[in-house]
Amino acid sequence: MSHHCQGSISSSDTVTAHHEHSGRFCPVVGDTHAYCPHHKGDARSPCPALNTLANHGYLPRDGKNITIFGLIRALREGYGLSTALAAILSIGAVLMLGQFRQISLADLARHNLIEHNASLFHRNARDGEEYAPRCPDCSLLKAVVRQGGHYKPGRITLEDVANIRAKREMNDILDFTHAEIARGEMAIAIGVLGGPNADKEGLDFEVLKTWVKYERLPDGWKPDHTQGLYHAYKMATVIRNRMNDIKNGKLVNVLEEEDATAAAFVMSAAHEPQVAPSSE
């Protein structure tokens, strides 16, 4: 049985009817930034942030022939990133991919370049595979929702991300670069979608699920602040410091406490004396 989330919306919506995309133009929604899911022939990546920009026409809707300046513009217009942050992310991406003219979203699935193991929403690449899975995995998304919300009910916070990432990286150890990428991508996602106070308030789970599962912005959503480089760095640092404290034993991961409690309950139940049935 497949655990992959379906990147589409209700079949009653006209955008689900198959059609072809060419650049940023969609024959159904035109030149607007209305949502249209990807169709056959469109390129997509393991990154919900960039796939969402393509589904809303900030990037080419077919996911192809993306220039560095087009990527910078899309990050600024679609998510409200500062020019400095958008430029660093875009330049870093093309440098890591080694493609300096144009890229396709599918290029970002090349394993262990930008893409990495221990993703919160995607399965690891199989051994020997050059490309990682591009579709989000519903079971992983459900796990994130189940494991989050410890500090703000119904919301995922930076502290939740640190707990979840620390648990994920117990089995999938990342090198320094990919560990920084993993922390940074969630810090920016929460910072952008969660609003100007997201560093303290986190991100609503319903917004997160819409963004990851459907690679779609919530209806009527627009950036309400500029997400700058320093702010993104500070948020990633919160995640990094908490993860380091957990790994160094200075802080107990609440998720590990829950696992230990559940295991103890199972063990105690297994050792309870069995009462023989009455013979009436």
Side-chain angles (χ1 to χ4, degrees), residues 33 52-53 56 58 73-82 188-196 217-228:
H33 290 304
T52 297
L53 291 178
H56 282 276
Y58 291 101
R73 182 185 63 242
L75 290 169
R76 291 182 64 237
E77 293 179 356
Y79 289 132
L81 300 193
S82 69
I188 293 173
I190 290 176
V192 167
L193 298 172
L217 296 172
D219 291 338
W221 186 89
K222 295 288 182 183
D224 58 3
H225 67 290
T226 298
Q227 182 76 0

Side-chain angles (χ1 to χ4, degrees), residues 146-147 150 253-263:
R146 184 178 67 252
Q147 293 170 335
H150 279 280
N253 192 337
V254 295
L255 302 181
E256 294 177 23
E257 286 186 318
E258 290 176 350
D259 289 346
T261 300

Side-chain angles (χ1 to χ4, degrees), residues 61-185:
R61 289 185 181 269
D62 60 5
K64 302 172 184 177
N65 302 315
I66 301 170
T67 66
I68 187 170
F69 297 107
L71 186 54
I72 292 171
R73 182 185 63 242
L75 290 169
R76 291 182 64 237
E77 293 179 356
Y79 289 132
L81 300 193
S82 69
T83 300
L85 180 55
I88 286 176
L89 293 175
S90 301
I91 293 170
V94 299
L95 287 175
M96 294 186 75
L97 291 175
Q99 297 173 222
F100 305 106
R101 297 188 65 181
Q102 294 179 333
I103 65 171
S104 164
L105 290 182
D107 296 327
L108 278 81
R110 290 164 61 196
H111 182 48
N112 258 351
L113 292 183
I114 299 172
E115 182 278 337
H116 55 82
N117 283 341
S119 166
L120 296 190
F121 307 117
H122 293 82
R123 292 288 175 184
N124 291 349
R126 295 179 180 178
D127 290 342
E129 290 287 332
E130 181 181 2
Y131 290 88
R134 298 181 179 91
C135 295
D137 188 286
C138 274
S139 61
L140 291 178
L141 175 57
K142 289 177 181 177
V144 169
V145 174
R146 184 178 67 252
Q147 293 170 335
H150 279 280
Y151 309 96
K152 296 284 182 178
R155 304 180 73 85
I156 184 168
T157 64
L158 300 176
E159 292 77 13
D160 285 317
V161 172
N163 295 340
I164 298 168
R165 286 231 56 85
K167 185 174 175 62
R168 288 284 281 120
E169 292 180 33
M170 289 176 64
N171 298 320
D172 290 308
I173 299 174
L174 300 179
D175 59 53
F176 175 81
T177 299
H178 289 104
E180 287 294 304
I181 290 173
R183 289 188 282 264
E185 59 195 12

